[in-house]
Structures are given as C-alpha cells and as structure tokens.
Amino acid sequence: QVQLVESGGGLVQAGGSLRLSCAASGRTFGAYSMGWFRQASGEGREFVAMISWSGGTTYYADSIKGRFTVSRDIAKNTMYLQMNNLKPEDGAVYYCATGPNFRAVESAFYYWGQGTQVTVSS
C-alpha cells in the first residue's frame, strides 16, 4: 500500500508562485511514475503533469506548459510541482498520484493523495 500526502497549497495572487509537495510512503517509490491532477469546483479532474520513475522524463498539459515544473527526489520519496505565473483558472484542488505506467490518464494511477487546495485571486 502507498500513502501520498500533498502540501504547499494556499492562496496566492495572480502572477504569483507556489510549490506543492507530495510525500510518499509505504512501498518502493522509485519504480513508479508520479503525477499531478487538479479538480476545479464543479468540474472533472484533469491531468496537469507527470514524471517518470527515474525523473528523466516529464510530460505536461498544454494549459500549464512553460509555467509549471514537476520534479522528484527519490531519496526523499517526494515529488514537487513548482507553479509560476499562476492564473485564476489554475485554482483547484491538486492531487498527486502514482502508478506503474507512464500514461497521462487517471486509470494509470493506482494510488492518490487527499489533495491540497490552490486558490488564485485576480
């Protein structure tokens, strides 16, 4: 079993930055891909970014490309999402997830965190 705990969310003005963290525990972390999804109020969950088990490959949604950066520290069992130049439409609950396949779909991720709220004021 894997436990994922997100942190780092909060309220920020448009144009500002936040860094989300996702701490993993409970099993071998290094062999799994990890990803970030988000869900705005009243909408479905959407893919944001993901990173391979080695950290050598990343993939981003077009909506955040160039503004967000995903990274991971295998030694610390932690993944990060650096979010810059935030926009009001980035406001959502952000979830981290992990799974054995490098695919940007929810079904590829077996374990999920509880989410952290990001609010961007205009």
Side-chain angles (χ1 to χ4, degrees):
Q1 191 72 9
V2 176
Q3 293 81 45
L4 301 174
V5 179
E6 303 95 336
S7 61
L11 173 64
V12 63
Q13 288 187 332
S17 298
L18 282 175
R19 188 194 195 202
L20 305 183
S21 299
C22 173
S25 62
R27 63 147 288 144
T28 301
F29 174 75
Y32 272 25
S33 297
M34 295 197 76
W36 290 97
F37 288 74
R38 68 186 182 185
Q39 186 169 20
S41 180
E43 299 184 15
R45 192 150 55 184
E46 66 170 351
F47 168 77
V48 176
M50 64 185 301
I51 187 166
S52 64
W53 68 271
S54 68
T57 304
T58 56
Y59 181 68
Y60 297 94
D62 288 341
S63 60
I64 58 87
K65 199 173 294 183
R67 299 187 295 121
F68 292 10
T69 302
V70 62
S71 62
R72 69 190 293 177
D73 185 332
I74 295 176
K76 294 183 178 180
N77 284 355
T78 301
M79 175 180 63
Y80 306 96
L81 185 67
Q82 178 66 45
M83 306 186 294
N84 298 327
N85 190 21
L86 283 160
K87 304 176 181 180
E89 53 264 40
D90 293 319
V93 177
Y94 283 71
Y95 299 90
C96 69
T98 187
N101 301 305
F102 192 78
R103 295 179 61 218
V105 294
E106 288 189 55
S107 59
F109 293 87
Y110 294 178
Y111 303 99
W112 293 79
Q114 293 300 306
T116 185
Q117 177 71 50
V118 171
T119 304
V120 184
S121 63
S122 58

